[in-house]
Amino acid sequence: MLDGLLLIGDSAHTQGPIGAQGINLAIQDAVAAHPVLLASLRTGDASAGFLRRYADARQRDISTMTKIQRAQSKTMFSTGTVAAAVRPKLAMLVSRTPVYRAVLHQIAFGNRGIQLRADLLAH
């Protein structure tokens, strides 16, 4: 991380094409960065240390999505006759579990705790 530089979305943490998580993370990144960038402007501090608060706060969400995506890739891109025969049946079975619904919710909505700070939009 460099002074005055804050990367978001795919420039900060490239995601693969499965599930379109990259765009979701980029939007969440922008919303999460908003208060940090405003604070940086107010204080005149755009140091790497100051901006690291943002990066540290996002790390858990990024790691979670990366793990989900790796698992999806391994499952979807595995080859062989056994994988081809088992994959559709396993997908149907897994799609009926609470774990599947939780992962799907995570992919679709990300961290629900990240909210736009509307109170900061008027400034």
Side-chain angles (χ1 to χ4, degrees), residues 22-58:
I23 189 67
N24 291 347
L25 290 173
I27 292 168
Q28 292 173 37
D29 286 349
V31 171
H34 176 236
V36 175
L37 293 174
L38 285 177
S40 173
L41 288 171
R42 279 193 208 111
T43 63
D45 185 359
S47 67
F50 186 86
L51 297 175
R52 181 159 302 286
R53 297 185 323 189
Y54 158 83
D56 291 346
R58 293 294 294 141

Side-chain angles (χ1 to χ4, degrees), residues 1-81:
M1 187 168 261
L2 301 172
D3 289 347
L5 178 65
L6 180 69
L7 300 176
I8 67 170
D10 282 346
S11 62
H13 40 75
T14 303
Q15 298 292 309
I18 296 175
Q21 291 105 325
I23 189 67
N24 291 347
L25 290 173
I27 292 168
Q28 292 173 37
D29 286 349
V31 171
H34 176 236
V36 175
L37 293 174
L38 285 177
S40 173
L41 288 171
R42 279 193 208 111
T43 63
D45 185 359
S47 67
F50 186 86
L51 297 175
R52 181 159 302 286
R53 297 185 323 189
Y54 158 83
D56 291 346
R58 293 294 294 141
Q59 187 56 48
R60 182 174 178 210
D61 294 336
I62 303 308
S63 294
T64 298
M65 198 53 63
T66 300
K67 288 175 188 173
I68 290 171
Q69 196 164 44
R70 282 187 185 136
Q72 287 174 321
S73 292
K74 285 180 184 177
T75 302
M76 293 179 74
F77 297 132
S78 58
T79 59
T81 55

Side-chain angles (χ1 to χ4, degrees), residues 76-96:
M76 293 179 74
F77 297 132
S78 58
T79 59
T81 55
V82 174
V86 172
R87 186 178 311 129
K89 292 173 178 64
L90 184 60
M92 186 173 37
L93 179 66
V94 169
S95 70
R96 296 183 174 134

